[in-house]
């Protein structure tokens, strides 16, 4: 009897682990590398059940000061389940020309960025990294400039997107985040 219960418990654990993998939303079922590192993260495994704000960033852009607002959002709401994910991109006017190490140092020292930053990627149609391709497939536009923002709910669904001119602390962004939390 004990062996039967043990076997059932193991089967249940195995079954629930498989269910978690199978329930990964396709939008988040991508692997990305941490900025200036070797660690590869599956977004679904790392952030499933969280509200995500995905942003393509650049260090030499007129919108670079938005790092302050992004970090403020992250610090204010991270305990409630918000995660800001930054993806540096050099696709627009060569505004992110540095190495990943230089980008990381700039973000940490200039803006005290603690939210997760990932590998430098392309975000333009035809050459977009898988996450940005999936965002477009889900109905959002490809970024037309740096600091496009994409809001994803706890179930891995695209909820909204915001153009570069929309600041992270904009009332409509904050309201949308609070509604999802």
């Amino acid at each position: 009897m004990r062996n039967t219960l043990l076997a059932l418990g193991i089967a249940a654990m195995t079954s629930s682990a498989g269910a978690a993998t199978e329930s990964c939303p396709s939008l988040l079922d991508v692997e990305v590398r941490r900025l200036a590192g070797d660690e590869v993260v599956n977004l679904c495994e790392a952030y499933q059940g969280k509200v995500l704000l995905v942003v393509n960033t650049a260090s030499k852009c007129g919108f670079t000061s938005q790092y302050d607002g992004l970090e403020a959002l992250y610090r204010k709401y991270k305990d409630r389940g918000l995660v800001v994910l930054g993806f540096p991109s050099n696709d627009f006017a060569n505004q992110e020309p540095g190495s990943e190490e230089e980008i990381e140092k700039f973000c940490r020292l200039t803006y005290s960025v603690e939210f997760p930053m990932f590998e430098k990627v392309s975000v333009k149609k035809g050459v977009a990294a898988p996450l940005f391709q999936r965002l477009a497939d889900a109905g959002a536009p490809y970024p037309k400039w740096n600091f496009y923002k994409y809001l994803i709910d706890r179930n891995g669904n695209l909820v909204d997107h915001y153009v570069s001119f929309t600041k992270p602390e904009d009332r409509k962004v904050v309201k949308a985040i609070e509604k999802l939390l």
Side-chain angles (χ1 to χ4, degrees):
M1 172 107 169
R2 183 170 185 254
N3 287 342
T4 303
L5 290 174
L6 183 60
L8 287 173
I10 291 171
M13 287 189 312
T14 305
S15 173
S16 66
T21 303
E22 291 171 11
S23 69
C24 177
S26 61
L27 183 63
L28 300 179
D29 195 13
V30 294
E31 291 188 343
V32 293
R33 185 178 45 77
R34 293 230 186 247
L35 185 64
D38 296 326
E39 180 188 3
V40 174
V41 175
N42 178 289
L43 294 182
C44 196
E45 291 174 10
Y47 302 112
Q48 190 170 22
K50 302 286 186 182
V51 173
L52 303 177
L53 188 65
V54 175
V55 186
N56 67 307
T57 63
S59 300
K60 299 181 183 309
C61 175
F63 298 111
T64 300
S65 63
Q66 287 189 18
Y67 272 125
D68 277 334
L70 293 168
E71 183 61 27
L73 277 178
Y74 177 65
R75 289 181 187 198
K76 181 174 182 176
Y77 294 111
K78 69 180 178 179
D79 291 339
R80 291 177 55 194
L82 174 70
V83 182
V84 175
L85 305 178
F87 290 86
S89 178
N90 195 39
D91 284 350
F92 305 105
N94 199 36
Q95 293 183 345
E96 191 63 277
S99 69
E100 289 190 2
E101 291 76 13
E102 291 169 325
I103 296 166
E104 181 178 53
K105 184 177 178 183
F106 172 82
C107 290
R108 303 287 184 252
L109 295 178
T110 309
Y111 291 99
S112 302
V113 169
E114 292 180 10
F115 62 81
M117 294 285 294
F118 294 95
E119 63 194 294
K120 192 172 175 179
V121 298
S122 184
V123 299
K124 285 185 173 181
K125 184 176 184 175
V127 293
L131 176 60
F132 287 87
Q133 178 62 52
R134 289 175 188 211
L135 288 163
D137 291 345
Y142 290 94
K144 292 175 181 54
W145 203 253
N146 304 306
F147 290 89
Y148 255 59
K149 297 153 209 72
Y150 301 88
L151 185 59
I152 300 169
D153 70 14
R154 292 180 187 273
N155 297 316
N157 300 305
L158 176 66
V159 173
D160 209 345
H161 62 277
Y162 308 96
V163 298
S164 306
F165 287 102
T166 305
K167 295 179 180 181
E169 61 273 18
D170 186 287
R171 184 176 171 199
K172 66 182 168 186
V173 176
V174 173
K175 260 181 107 169
I177 289 170
E178 288 179 345
K179 183 177 177 182
L180 295 175
L181 295 173

